[in-house]
């Protein structure tokens, strides 16, 4: 899927409509500077801001970020506390600018685990920006791909119990609407920074035909040049969605 460019955006020929990112490497970035991990997360927030601006400039329609996984609660309480503090401050600080830039912000995951203060701010941010249409920013927090599959199965089972869904009719098409992000096209491009070549329980259902791009760059060091490289690499891919190669490539 190629998104429709904003009229004032200088467009490349092929732009992924939806980019999903695992922002890895904040801790190592901080350690290299003899700083606590929270220092890396704060630097990571700046890279998030730069990435949103880059998406707006390039006409990307949906950006989905893995900001906090279901497993991240197992980190030392000081780091979890620092991350929660960062989310709270970011929610207060960034929303005006995002709204001004017509960004729709949503929080995806098991939100009940967060404090009342964070949940209220997440809800306010989502409601305030709901009708913005230039970029949809999905921030995945306390999210896991397996959790997503389980909640989709549970909600489908509830629909069966209510008599709204026939269990015998459950297939990929009828189950798809129960997954998170069912209202946007699947990611075209997945980027993972920080050198690991793993999906790490992110969007397991949604990434079925997504192009994968891995870079050793640590998340706080990600800049326009790095994102441009990912885009250039994506533009060279032949997306087949399980079909045969095109004749042009001699398949
Ligand atoms: C992974 O790096 C990063 C995280 C678990 C947190 C991501 C959070 C941010 C980028 C902060 C800002 C986000 C928003 C949406 C305001 P790591 O800590 O696992 O790094 P390491 O692999 O080097 O240890």
């Amino acid at each position: 899927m190629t998104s429709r460019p904003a009229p004032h955006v200088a467009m490349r020929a092929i732009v992924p409509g939806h980019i999903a990112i695992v922002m890895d490497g904040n801790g190592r970035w901080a350690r290299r500077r003899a700083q606590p991990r929270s220092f890396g997360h704060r630097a990571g927030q700046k890279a998030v801001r730069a990435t949103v601006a880059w998406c707006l400039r390039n006409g990307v329609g949906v950006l989905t970020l893995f900001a906090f996984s279901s497993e991240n609660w197992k980190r030392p309480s000081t780091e979890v506390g620092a991350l929660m503090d960062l989310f709270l401050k970011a929610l207060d600080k960034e929303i005006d600018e995002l709204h001004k830039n017509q960004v729709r912000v949503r929080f995806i995951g098991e939100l009940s685990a967060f404090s009342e203060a964070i949940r209220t701010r997440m809800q306010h941010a989502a409601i305030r920006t709901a009708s913005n249409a230039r970029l949809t920013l999905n921030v995945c927090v306390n999210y896991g791909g397996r959790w997503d599959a389980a909640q989709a199965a549970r909600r489908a089972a509830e629909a069966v119990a209510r008599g709204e869904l026939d269990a015998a009719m459950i297939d990929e098409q009828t189950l798809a609407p129960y997954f998170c992000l069912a209202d946007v096209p699947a990611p075209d491009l997945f980027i993972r920074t920080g050198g690991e070549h793993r999906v790490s329980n992110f969007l397991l259902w949604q990434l079925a035909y997504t192009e994968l791009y891995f870079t050793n760059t640590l998340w706080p060091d990600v800049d326009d040049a790095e994102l441009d490289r990912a885009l250039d690499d994506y533009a060279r891919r032949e997306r087949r969605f399980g079909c045969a190669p095109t004749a042009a490539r001699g398949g």
Side-chain angles (χ1 to χ4, degrees):
M1 175 249 182
T2 304
S3 67
R4 193 175 317 145
H8 53 286
V9 173
M11 289 299 300
R12 286 181 165 78
I14 301 172
V15 175
H18 182 175
I19 299 181
I21 307 184
V22 172
M23 311 178 284
D24 200 10
N26 294 350
R28 279 165 285 164
W29 188 90
R31 200 167 58 233
R32 286 178 192 176
R33 288 158 180 78
Q35 293 290 335
R37 296 174 63 82
S38 54
F39 183 75
H41 295 316
R42 282 201 300 278
Q45 188 188 342
K46 286 193 193 132
V48 168
R49 218 177 287 140
T51 302
V52 168
W54 178 89
C55 285
L56 288 167
R57 279 199 307 281
N58 282 280
V60 173
V62 186
L63 174 65
T64 301
L65 301 175
F66 207 2
F68 193 84
S69 77
S70 324
E71 290 75 32
N72 286 157
W73 295 109
K74 294 178 197 144
R75 293 187 176 206
S77 58
T78 45
E79 185 179 351
V80 173
L83 268 170
M84 295 302 137
D85 199 42
L86 185 73
F87 291 149
L88 256 180
K89 289 195 178 124
L91 279 162
D92 286 340
K93 201 171 145 199
E94 311 283 353
I95 286 303
D96 285 346
E97 188 70 12
L98 290 167
H99 189 43
K100 203 171 81 193
N101 284 313
Q102 298 160 50
V103 179
R104 172 170 69 146
V105 185
R106 303 161 339 154
F107 298 88
I108 310 293
E110 179 61 73
L111 304 185
S112 62
F114 292 99
S115 72
E116 177 80 32
I118 292 185
R119 272 185 292 140
T120 305
R121 279 181 180 73
M122 284 176 177
Q123 210 177 13
H124 284 170
I127 291 169
R128 185 168 167 213
T129 61
S131 56
N132 292 340
R134 197 166 156 210
L135 171 70
T136 293
L137 173 61
N138 300 308
V139 184
C140 294
V141 284
N142 196 25
Y143 175 88
R146 290 180 177 174
W147 165 83
D148 195 358
Q151 68 80 30
R154 187 175 57 248
R155 291 202 297 133
E158 286 163 2
V160 170
R162 287 194 302 271
E164 293 165 10
L165 181 65
D166 179 355
M169 299 295 287
I170 293 181
D171 59 13
E172 288 179 32
Q173 272 69 43
T174 50
L175 195 58
Y178 295 97
F179 277 82
C180 295
L181 305 185
D183 63 335
V184 291
D188 300 291
L189 176 63
F190 164 97
I191 299 174
R192 181 175 185 143
T193 62
E196 308 289 357
H197 293 193
R198 285 192 287 272
V199 169
S200 292
N201 199 18
F202 190 38
L203 303 175
L204 298 179
W205 171 275
Q206 298 86 345
L207 293 179
Y209 288 103
T210 301
E211 297 296 326
L212 308 180
Y213 179 86
F214 299 95
T215 170
N216 290 331
T217 302
L218 303 177
W219 176 251
D221 287 330
V222 164
D223 56 9
D224 289 358
E226 180 65 52
L227 295 166
D228 286 346
R229 272 194 294 278
L231 213 59
D232 291 344
D233 188 82
Y234 172 79
R236 286 193 296 273
R237 308 277 179 102
E238 187 192 3
R239 302 195 70 190
R240 300 215 297 262
F241 299 95
C243 303
T246 58
R249 297 230 175 168

